[in-house]
Amino acid sequence: MPDRCSSSPLQILLALILFPAIHGNVDAVEPAPAWLQTRDSNPFALATGLPPAPVMPLAGHWQVDMTLDLSNTELQQFGAGSSLLFDAESRETRFSVAYAFNERWSLRASFSQVWIGAGFLDQPIERFHRAFGFDNGDRGLLALQAPRVEVRRGGELLYALDRSRSGMGPLLIDSTRSWSLADGGRAGLTLGMKLPTGSRSRLSDSGSTDGSLGAFVLLPVGERLGVGVRAGLLVQGENRLLGDNARSVVPFASALLRYRLGENWSAVLQTDAHGPLYRDLPDFLGSASNQINFGLVRRLGKTGEFDITLAEDLPALHTSDVAINLGLRLDFAH
């Protein structure tokens, strides 16, 4: 792997799988049909306070989530007096810790490391698109040396990146109040905050302090199916990434279908959507996003679960290309 990428995704994947194997004292209890911890893979979205889906540990338990998100995009777009050039691969490695004080209240903190560079997914994505007859859009047509990111409006250069960068991402903190429903369902409210611990120049943070408020419901349907919905609002502070183009209020929503295939396997379909983060900019930044996640979840013995997710942002050719998300969840009794 080139030295511009500090550690390979394969090494990180192996670490995620092997970690629970050497920690035999972890409880194997799943508190509810769990959400995938996915977010919009667009780096400009990851830099904001868009919250991941809520978690609900058992009372007196710690819950640890580790996720690795890989996304590769190559496109050029033009709007009314604005333009976007994006040819880069991004990687967010996120670590979250949540604790449930009782059956109703829990608190979570989440921090990440963000890398953006040339990457290795260009050819695999092009082959994937060709194999299924999908359009490759601008892939292979820009004749640029990745990574290259430029955002312009009215002749002014708002943001530029022309070499690999790595650094801390935003710190996300949220508190959840949940209620038990009939037949094992749960409902709740989540209040979140994003602190600007990352870097604008590295495209790892918007530079603002954001807040969010969301509501959710998780329900079992029969013995194998779990469904969930959530909706909320993100309030952006003084966004210094793209200045006054940022929208102050952004709605977001998710829907979940989780089907248990057997004792150890589950299939998950989850959609994460949000309104436009910016105004007067091309679609990659100025349109609504809807990321569709197709995942498989595997129980890892008595230590937790591991999931692998393939994600596609809709509408096609307007946002990030295929993204890969790997996740590990562990539950510890206090």
Side-chain angles (χ1 to χ4, degrees), residues 7-318:
S7 59
S8 75
L10 178 59
Q11 291 173 324
I12 298 174
L13 171 59
L14 290 175
L16 290 178
I17 294 175
L18 292 176
F19 181 85
I22 59 176
H23 287 75
N25 62 337
V26 181
D27 291 342
V29 181
E30 182 182 354
W35 299 89
L36 296 171
Q37 293 300 293
T38 52
R39 295 198 297 158
D40 184 354
S41 299
N42 182 334
F44 285 94
L46 292 175
T48 71
L50 279 171
V55 296
M56 292 172 292
L58 296 172
H61 283 226
W62 293 91
Q63 181 172 303
V64 177
D65 285 277
M66 289 166 277
T67 60
L68 172 65
D69 184 271
L70 293 167
S71 178
N72 185 294
T73 301
E74 186 175 349
L75 55 78
Q76 186 171 23
Q77 295 178 340
F78 298 92
S82 63
S83 65
L84 168 97
L85 181 64
F86 196 106
D87 184 2
E89 183 167 304
S90 63
R91 181 189 72 206
E92 184 194 53
T93 307
R94 181 163 291 278
F95 183 82
S96 303
V97 179
Y99 179 72
F101 299 98
N102 49 48
E103 294 181 353
R104 299 175 299 278
W105 289 97
S106 64
L107 182 68
R108 174 175 59 175
S110 173
F111 61 92
S112 69
Q113 190 269 350
V114 177
W115 171 86
I116 185 166
F120 68 99
L121 287 175
D122 290 282
Q123 291 187 356
I125 290 177
E126 289 177 21
R127 294 192 189 105
F128 174 83
H129 285 168
R130 286 195 296 267
F132 290 92
F134 299 152
D135 193 337
N136 266 309
D138 292 328
R139 286 194 169 277
L141 302 178
L142 299 183
L144 298 172
Q145 182 66 38
R148 185 77 173 273
V149 180
E150 290 184 1
V151 182
R152 300 177 183 272
R153 188 189 67 174
E156 177 186 2
L157 181 63
L158 301 181
Y159 181 83
L161 181 147
D162 60 3
R163 61 190 176 95
S164 297
R165 305 300 297 266
S166 178
M168 287 289 294
L171 173 64
L172 304 177
I173 302 172
D174 59 63
S175 178
T176 297
R177 169 60 161 99
S178 62
W179 291 267
S180 296
L181 304 177
D183 300 322
R186 300 292 295 273
L189 296 173
T190 299
L191 180 64
M193 174 178 288
K194 172 249 178 183
L195 301 178
T197 52
S199 167
R200 172 188 175 275
S201 64
R202 294 184 175 94
L203 193 52
S204 65
D205 203 312
S206 66
S208 65
T209 299
D210 302 343
S212 62
L213 177 64
F216 66 90
V217 176
L218 276 170
L219 297 171
V221 180
E223 296 182 355
R224 291 181 176 268
L225 182 64
V227 300
V229 293
R230 72 165 180 147
L233 292 175
L234 166 71
V235 179
Q236 295 196 85
E238 187 179 352
N239 186 312
R240 295 201 297 271
L241 190 57
L242 295 174
D244 59 2
N245 296 279
R247 295 181 182 271
S248 58
V249 178
V250 179
F252 62 84
S254 297
L256 169 73
L257 288 174
R258 179 169 173 142
Y259 185 78
R260 185 165 56 84
L261 301 172
E263 182 179 354
N264 293 316
W265 288 94
S266 296
V268 179
L269 173 63
Q270 180 172 313
T271 174
D272 300 313
H274 63 78
L277 291 166
Y278 298 94
R279 60 172 63 87
D280 301 326
L281 292 175
D283 289 338
F284 188 71
L285 300 169
S287 68
S289 172
N290 183 15
Q291 180 167 292
I292 309 295
N293 307 284
F294 305 90
L296 281 176
V297 180
R298 175 65 162 88
R299 276 288 190 194
L300 297 177
K302 297 181 179 180
T303 61
E305 63 181 33
F306 172 77
D307 65 78
I308 180 167
T309 302
L310 187 67
E312 179 73 59
D313 250 15
L314 300 178
L317 306 182
H318 284 181

